Amino acid sequence: MQISFDAASWGVNSDSMTKRIQVENLSKCYRIGHVGSSENGAKYRMLRDVLIDAIKAPIRNLRSGAALGKVEEFWALRDINFEVNQGEALAIVGRNGAGKSTLLKVLTQITTPTRGQATLHGRVGSLLEVGTGFHPELTGRENVFLNGSILGMGRQEIKSQFDQIVDFAGIQRFIDTPVKRYSSGMKVRLGFAVAAHLDLEILLVDEVLAVGDAEFQRKCMGKMDEVAHSGRTVLFVSHNMTAVQNLCPRAILLEAGQLVMDGPSGSVVERYLASFGTLESSRDLTDPTVPRTGTGEARVEKIELLSHKGDDLAAVPMGEGIRIRVKVRAKSDVRSVYANFVLSDSRGDIITVLHGNDSGDCRFDLNSGEEATVECMLPQMNLHPGMYAFNASLRHKGANEPLDRIERAVSFEILPADVFGTGKIPTKAQKIFLVSEWSVATAGSSKNPFRSG
Amino acid sequence: MGDTLIEDPQTFLGNPQGGSEKSSRSESVTTICPRSGWKFIDLAELWRYRELLFFLTWRDVKIRYKQSMLGVLWAVIQPTMYMVVFTIVFGKMAKVPTDGIPYPLFSFSALILWNFFAVGIAHAGNSLVMSPQLVTKVYVPRLTIPFASVGSALFDFFIAFGVLILVMVFYFNFSGADVSGVAIRPTIFMVLPLLLLTIFAALGVGTMLAALNVAFRDFKHTIPFLVQLWMFATPAIYMSLDETKPVDNVSFAITGGAGAEQLGIDSDSGALELKKSPDVSNTNEAAATSTYSVDVTATVAPQSEAKEFSIWVWIKDLLRLNPMNGIISSFRAALLGHPIPWHELGFSAILVTIGFVVGSLYFYRLEPSFADII
């Protein structure tokens, strides 16, 4: 795939602006050994394996610590090229496994590239995780200093910013309490507060804003916005397309480790979302190319959108009802399974979650190899015209990791319709509509219910 | 990682590459590129991160004693309990020779240094795998992580050292024990360089173990075992084999001495406590090497015993490969006013240097892959 990047098309005068980040042919290759063939087992090797290898192969084995023998190469990044100017905020979008996080890890020096080079001009700070190095036994105050120094701040710097940090996190009362007694929200707030007060020229941020409560998220986005507009250079990885479009004027799209698009974030986001598949009322999800996460103990094999009567349907008139039907097959015995459907719009914003356990109370058991069909009926789709998608996931009670999860498993379009019976079709830029009844009272009218007496 | 070139702000001022900005803020440039081959410690980078090193050390110390009733006292309790147990087992029951030093003092003076080394390498060895977020979620010079573990063990050492001074004061002034074999001499200042040498030994071994532990989790199980074995290979609770005549060989020596005239030195060491003491005094140092030849020619002695003796000599030489051998006995000698075994100490210093270089080279060699394999 060719890289469609052209700095000139951006109206960027490369002479007058300072390049903060220059990435040239950056590639990263992981070697996947076949020692432990299970997904997690391959991560590190037992000494035994090395000893066996060492008998077969020369000593370079122990020297490099790398897997020898049967090795498969996996290119997480392939010839990435881009430049970021001072004061620019660039978003990196792509599906899970496209290489976004690997790119950030290479740029933060956490891992080395296999080929290519990147040059960063200025102090670099990274926020790949909120509260890195927080120790539960230490107090909030102690953790601020620890976390700050891990992120590269000096002691004096932390001292002078300390009050602002605590203020921003809003935990003044608990600053001398061990962090283990904090709620998870408080921990996140404190962690972000430290990072937000880093005084740096370049900030690399991974998907960290997806945590915390709504209010704090708003605060974080505000801070990020402030940072992005204060002349600092920001690289931002997120699945939240709204955040991407709000924060970053420019975005790059990664697909399978390659940079496939570089342009205004609006069009990049559009292309990214379009890559999730076209309008189809039903989709076969057994295809191995379907990107999915989860343990895989049970899988969604097929998802269908049906009308009330049972017809296939990819475009739904406003206000109509639909049915979502999924076929599930278990790979091993699973208990108390339920399905979840998350409805999101074309920008990736979550609109609502159809929770099979909470709102449906619909759990089921499956033995290995058995299949089930789950159906969820929505009598009325209170959505405005536009493109929407459901992601599908299977979970079982009490477990954090889903059994199976597919982003944008099926997408559909809501067509304009005269739902209110007024002959008027609602305008855009709204997401949902509520059924409403109206009345009005003008002066002198006796119909006004609010006027007493 | 990459060949990082985050220059110190001051030194980088005016470099044309550092961005053409005239901004008052000085520029730093990070170049990220593949790294291969061997590389030695990046001292400049470590220095830049000295505050982090301090905070990590401080964290290790803090959390070690958080929510424990006795807190820092544990730093004292451990070597003290060892001292008590070893005094009972080796001092009273086995009656290990101590060159005229009361056994509790004899063992405690060495145990505190040994304890520092043992705790240091054990913590450092596990440091990386215990805090994977510091490796995978942020970039810090990874060497600071095992270094901080050694630093926190050093904190314990200073506390225990304070206790040792109290123990010494007690022995000199208030106990009825015979302290004629102990004296305070100017060599006591050797304690500082010896401590420094031990720090380097712990850093070398610790970083090596930390890197190995990331690559091969087997070392998680190996480290406690290794530390235990190493302690018995170190003259902390017994006298250095070079200082003592092979006491355990008294039985062999007697039979050998009775059989052949040539075994001059050999029979001497046997006779050390019994008969021919006068001619031993001047051949102290040469004893070990000359035993070799004697041992081979000793045909007179019963065969099985001669064989056992040759194994003993072999073990003695093997134990000399332990870098802590010379350090521990010198430390005790310096503290308690005995002659410092310079020979062994010099050999240990060379071993420590080699160990430190090899340890950090290996660490840097594996470092680029830490985040991928941890």
Side-chain angles (χ1 to χ4, degrees):
Chain A
M1 201 157 286
Q2 213 43 54
I3 297 152
S4 57
F5 172 62
D6 181 8
S9 70
W10 281 101
V12 172
N13 184 345
S14 46
D15 292 332
S16 72
M17 294 191 99
T18 319
K19 297 263 182 299
R20 280 295 184 192
I21 304 174
Q22 287 165 293
V23 176
E24 292 156 44
N25 296 320
L26 206 65
S27 305
K28 170 79 185 174
C29 174
Y30 285 105
R31 287 166 197 283
I32 309 162
H34 284 286
V35 178
S37 51
S38 79
E39 270 173 53
N40 297 322
K43 280 201 169 169
Y44 54 84
R45 316 169 61 210
M46 297 299 264
L47 191 56
R48 182 191 42 156
D49 308 321
V50 176
L51 291 178
I52 292 168
D53 283 352
I55 296 164
K56 291 181 191 157
I59 40 152
R60 72 198 150 110
N61 211 355
L62 245 165
R63 210 178 67 189
S64 63
L68 267 183
K70 266 202 151 184
V71 169
E72 194 182 296
E73 288 192 343
F74 168 72
W75 288 88
L77 291 176
R78 225 185 248 276
D79 296 322
I80 304 288
N81 286 282
F82 65 90
E83 290 183 338
V84 190
N85 291 311
Q86 160 138 29
E88 200 175 7
L90 174 76
I92 304 169
V93 294
R95 295 191 201 185
N96 287 334
K100 305 182 301 284
S101 295
T102 308
L103 179 57
L104 273 202
K105 281 192 175 178
V106 170
L107 291 180
T108 48
Q109 304 185 60
I110 287 169
T111 184
T112 41
T114 312
R115 279 208 308 261
Q117 185 178 320
T119 316
L120 287 81
H121 299 269
R123 271 180 81 188
V124 187
S126 63
L127 189 54
L128 268 56
E129 181 193 59
V130 171
T132 304
F134 266 23
H135 198 282
E137 295 286 349
L138 299 177
T139 67
R141 182 187 303 275
E142 290 163 342
N143 270 314
V144 166
F145 278 90
L146 182 63
N147 186 230
S149 70
I150 286 170
L151 292 175
M153 287 163 128
R155 194 166 14 162
Q156 283 310 320
E157 208 178 332
I158 305 169
K159 245 184 201 165
S160 64
Q161 302 254 42
F162 187 80
D163 291 336
Q164 284 158 272
I165 291 172
V166 177
D167 247 22
F168 186 87
I171 51 155
Q172 293 87 335
R173 279 177 56 209
F174 306 103
I175 194 65
D176 288 312
T177 310
V179 161
K180 64 178 172 184
R181 310 212 194 287
Y182 281 25
S183 71
S184 53
M186 284 159 74
K187 256 181 266 177
V188 168
R189 289 211 295 274
L190 189 61
F192 185 81
V194 177
H197 289 82
L198 283 169
D199 181 22
L200 302 159
E201 281 102 29
I202 301 170
L203 189 60
L204 311 170
V205 186
D206 203 349
E207 191 118 48
V208 287
L209 305 174
V211 287
D213 53 46
E215 199 217 316
F216 187 71
Q217 274 191 33
R218 226 181 352 263
K219 212 168 160 184
C220 292
M221 292 309 292
K223 188 76 191 175
M224 286 293 299
D225 202 43
E226 191 189 311
V227 168
H229 289 106
S230 65
R232 270 174 272 187
T233 306
V234 180
L235 241 65
F236 182 59
V237 167
S238 182
H239 280 116
N240 181 342
M241 292 303 133
T242 316
V244 163
Q245 290 180 73
N246 289 346
L247 280 179
C248 310
R250 184 183 145 202
I252 57 176
L253 175 62
L254 297 185
E255 264 174 29
Q258 288 178 317
L259 197 156
V260 295
M261 191 178 178
D262 184 336
S265 54
S267 37
V268 171
V269 166
E270 213 165 89
R271 168 149 179 203
Y272 164 69
L273 292 175
S275 73
F276 281 101
T278 44
L279 284 183
E280 276 174 311
S281 60
S282 78
R283 193 162 159 220
D284 182 12
L285 298 171
T286 49
D287 190 336
T289 61
V290 172
R292 66 207 309 162
T293 52
T295 62
E297 288 165 80
R299 284 194 158 171
V300 178
E301 293 199 324
K302 191 178 183 191
I303 184 162
E304 290 174 286
L305 286 189
L306 306 165
S307 77
H308 265 311
K309 290 157 228 140
D311 307 330
D312 282 7
L313 164 104
V316 189
M318 281 175 78
E320 287 285 295
I322 61 163
R323 284 189 285 174
I324 315 165
R325 183 188 287 167
V326 289
K327 202 169 91 187
V328 178
R329 190 184 290 278
K331 276 210 172 140
S332 51
D333 295 359
V334 283
R335 296 282 164 268
S336 257
V337 187
Y338 59 89
N340 264 0
F341 304 106
V342 179
L343 176 66
S344 53
D345 67 9
S346 63
R347 286 153 51 107
D349 268 357
I350 291 175
I351 293 168
T352 188
V353 179
L354 307 170
H355 197 281
N357 185 37
D358 296 355
S359 54
D361 200 12
C362 174
R363 295 200 306 265
F364 51 96
D365 299 336
L366 281 181
N367 291 327
S368 176
E370 283 182 354
E371 64 171 64
T373 304
V374 181
E375 210 172 272
C376 174
M377 224 268 281
L378 300 163
Q380 194 182 26
M381 296 290 275
N382 294 347
L383 295 171
H384 271 270
M387 296 295 307
Y388 296 87
F390 281 115
N391 84 21
S393 61
L394 287 178
R395 297 177 166 273
H396 61 163
K397 238 190 145 185
N400 259 333
E401 200 182 346
L403 299 169
D404 189 23
R405 192 175 119 110
I406 302 152
E407 292 286 341
R408 299 184 91 82
V410 65
S411 43
F412 61 98
E413 188 174 4
I414 295 281
L415 303 170
D418 179 18
V419 275
F420 303 119
T422 58
K424 290 171 191 159
I425 289 164
T427 51
K428 273 190 167 182
Q430 305 173 47
K431 285 177 189 165
I432 62 161
F433 68 87
L434 299 174
V435 176
S436 47
E437 283 174 27
W438 298 77
S439 66
V440 69
T442 48
S445 160
S446 59
K447 272 174 76 185
N448 192 338
F450 297 110
R451 175 175 279 182
S452 51
Chain B
M1 297 126 291
D3 284 330
T4 321
L5 299 170
I6 315 178
E7 295 295 334
D8 206 67
Q10 271 75 17
T11 62
F12 215 84
L13 261 181
N15 189 316
Q17 213 203 332
S20 49
E21 288 308 85
K22 60 293 108 183
S23 61
S24 56
R25 284 195 73 90
S26 41
E27 289 290 317
S28 56
V29 176
T30 314
T31 308
I32 296 163
C33 53
R35 195 171 102 187
S36 59
W38 302 90
K39 184 187 156 210
F40 196 55
I41 295 184
D42 188 344
L43 282 176
E45 191 186 37
L46 267 187
W47 177 248
R48 251 192 335 274
Y49 278 89
R50 61 192 181 278
E51 281 193 342
L52 174 69
L53 186 58
F54 165 79
F55 273 115
L56 288 177
T57 303
W58 166 85
R59 176 191 76 161
D60 278 4
V61 171
K62 265 246 145 123
I63 59 184
R64 184 128 27 108
Y65 301 117
K66 274 256 164 147
Q67 221 179 51
S68 71
M69 252 166 25
L70 297 176
V72 178
L73 271 182
W74 282 112
V76 179
I77 294 171
Q78 241 181 11
T80 311
M81 286 312 285
Y82 271 131
M83 175 188 77
V84 171
V85 170
F86 291 138
T87 303
I88 293 167
V89 176
F90 294 97
K92 299 284 176 216
M93 286 157 75
K95 295 217 194 312
V96 169
T98 60
D99 217 0
I101 305 166
Y103 190 83
L105 203 54
F106 173 86
S107 60
F108 195 70
S109 57
L111 273 175
I112 59 165
L113 191 68
W114 169 255
N115 211 47
F116 158 62
F117 178 75
V119 171
I121 62 170
H123 281 302
N126 285 319
S127 60
L128 284 176
V129 290
M130 292 291 276
S131 43
Q133 341 83 281
L134 284 186
V135 176
T136 58
K137 294 295 180 188
V138 72
Y139 177 72
V140 296
R142 274 63 180 259
L143 210 53
T144 53
I145 300 166
F147 274 25
S149 302
V150 174
S152 71
L154 192 60
F155 176 84
D156 286 7
F157 170 80
F158 285 125
I159 291 170
F161 193 78
V163 175
L164 172 71
I165 290 171
L166 292 180
V167 171
M168 282 172 76
V169 168
F170 169 81
Y171 261 97
F172 279 119
N173 299 325
F174 306 105
S175 80
D178 173 25
V179 287
S180 53
V182 183
I184 302 297
R185 299 229 163 79
T187 48
I188 199 162
F189 292 108
M190 272 301 288
V191 164
L192 273 177
L194 283 169
L195 175 61
L196 204 67
L197 203 56
T198 314
I199 292 173
F200 273 99
L203 292 179
V205 178
T207 49
M208 184 84 178
L209 288 176
L212 282 168
N213 207 353
V214 170
F216 315 108
R217 242 18 93 84
D218 309 62
F219 280 86
K220 201 166 60 189
H221 312 290
T222 316
I223 290 169
F225 180 65
L226 176 88
V227 169
Q228 200 79 45
L229 278 189
W230 201 330
M231 172 160 160
F232 286 109
T234 303
I237 50 175
Y238 54 84
M239 255 178 113
S240 165
L241 299 172
D242 297 306
E243 294 173 59
T244 44
K245 299 290 155 300
V247 175
D248 298 30
N249 291 328
V250 168
S251 53
F252 312 120
I254 289 167
T255 51
E261 318 294 277
Q262 315 127 285
L263 305 178
I265 301 156
D266 192 20
S267 65
D268 277 348
S269 51
L272 191 67
E273 274 132 78
L274 304 167
K275 338 166 193 171
K276 300 191 228 163
S277 33
D279 49 24
V280 204
S281 46
N282 55 347
T283 49
N284 261 2
E285 287 298 316
T289 42
S290 24
T291 16
Y292 272 125
S293 52
V294 172
D295 158 54
V296 185
T297 50
T299 44
V300 195
Q303 219 185 4
S304 63
E305 286 173 2
K307 228 182 240 166
E308 242 179 283
F309 187 68
S310 75
I311 288 170
W312 177 245
V313 171
W314 185 75
I315 289 176
K316 253 175 81 172
D317 286 340
L318 191 72
L319 287 185
R320 220 168 277 155
L321 285 176
N322 170 10
M324 293 309 286
N325 183 25
I327 299 179
I328 291 281
S329 44
S330 303
F331 186 76
R332 176 164 49 216
L335 266 175
L336 304 177
H338 280 244
I340 291 175
W342 293 105
H343 226 85
E344 283 73 43
L345 181 58
F347 193 55
S348 290
I350 293 169
L351 287 175
V352 166
T353 314
I354 294 171
F356 183 74
V357 170
V358 169
S360 23
L361 278 178
Y362 188 69
F363 190 89
Y364 269 93
R365 174 79 189 180
L366 279 196
E367 197 195 8
S369 57
F370 279 171
D372 303 335
I373 58 179
I374 199 166

